[in-house]
Amino acid sequence: MGILIEFLGLVVAVALALGALKRNGVDIGWLNPFTFLHRLRWKQKSTVPPLYALVHPIDVVGVLALAAVQTSGLVTSKQKESVLALLRQHLSMDEAEANKLWILSSHLLRHRALDPREVPAVLEPSADKFSDYHQKTLMTVVRAAIAIEPPENPAQSELVTAIEAFFNKRKTASAAW
């Protein structure tokens, strides 16, 4: 019983000390575990580049289609129109939606080629939402985007290989269980 009274006295003393610190201008808000966890989650969410936080497969298809075209250098108007036609055809989009997806993708890539080592980071957040049909559509769109201006360059081949390797790795990992 004595230990319980001592413990309660300690709790009251700490509460009074924290109250006194707060009255004297010391910020003790960081001690709240709920706000600490909220801040931690927000920091984790806000420090991830938007390219690596795509959760919808349609956005990923748009980014990878543009990345496939950008590996050959600057995007020509022929390539842009062809990729927009591919997006409209395979993703059942109208022209305005396809243009929005193109703008989003170009903003996320910021006029740079996507490194094949970045493909897993781009695909990971939305990988669970990719069905076999989505994977086939993604590969069809990327390969068709590459075929707009043949010959396929080594960077484009590496991009396709990285996408296939990511999905094969996920398929074998899920089959093991």
Side-chain angles (χ1 to χ4, degrees):
M1 187 69 175
I3 294 175
L4 182 63
I5 293 174
E6 287 178 11
F7 180 73
L8 289 174
L10 179 65
V11 169
V12 170
V14 168
L16 290 174
L18 289 175
L21 285 173
K22 189 174 182 181
R23 279 192 306 273
N24 289 323
V26 176
D27 180 27
I28 58 171
W30 60 272
L31 290 173
N32 186 344
F34 300 111
T35 58
F36 174 76
L37 290 174
H38 178 71
R39 265 188 254 117
L40 180 66
R41 283 192 202 113
W42 176 252
K43 183 178 179 184
Q44 290 172 345
K45 186 176 181 179
S46 66
T47 56
V48 173
L51 180 62
Y52 305 140
L54 298 174
V55 293
H56 300 293
I58 290 176
D59 297 336
V60 174
V61 171
V63 166
L64 292 177
L66 177 60
V69 172
Q70 278 187 345
T71 55
S72 62
L74 293 175
V75 179
T76 63
S77 61
K78 175 187 173 191
Q79 289 173 322
K80 178 182 176 182
E81 291 304 319
S82 298
V83 170
L84 288 173
L86 285 170
L87 295 176
R88 286 192 301 267
Q89 176 188 358
H90 291 285
L91 302 179
S92 302
M93 298 180 145
D94 61 5
E95 191 168 340
E97 289 174 329
N99 280 329
K100 285 180 185 177
L101 184 58
W102 178 269
I103 292 168
L104 167 82
S105 301
S106 62
H107 174 72
L108 291 174
L109 288 175
R110 294 198 172 102
H111 304 293
R112 66 175 178 85
L114 185 69
D115 190 353
R117 293 174 293 185
E118 294 178 285
V119 168
V122 172
L123 287 169
E124 190 62 41
S126 63
D128 293 334
K129 296 180 182 177
F130 269 93
S131 66
D132 288 337
Y133 174 74
H134 292 122
Q135 292 174 20
K136 289 176 186 172
T137 303
L138 170 65
M139 294 310 298
T140 302
V141 169
V142 169
R143 285 195 175 109
I146 290 171
I148 293 169
E149 287 192 7
E152 183 174 325
N153 64 33
Q156 291 170 331
S157 300
E158 289 176 9
L159 184 68
V160 170
T161 305
I163 296 169
E164 289 173 342
F166 175 81
F167 285 119
N168 289 338
K169 183 178 177 183
R170 284 191 60 88
K171 200 174 284 188
T172 56
S174 65
W177 290 97

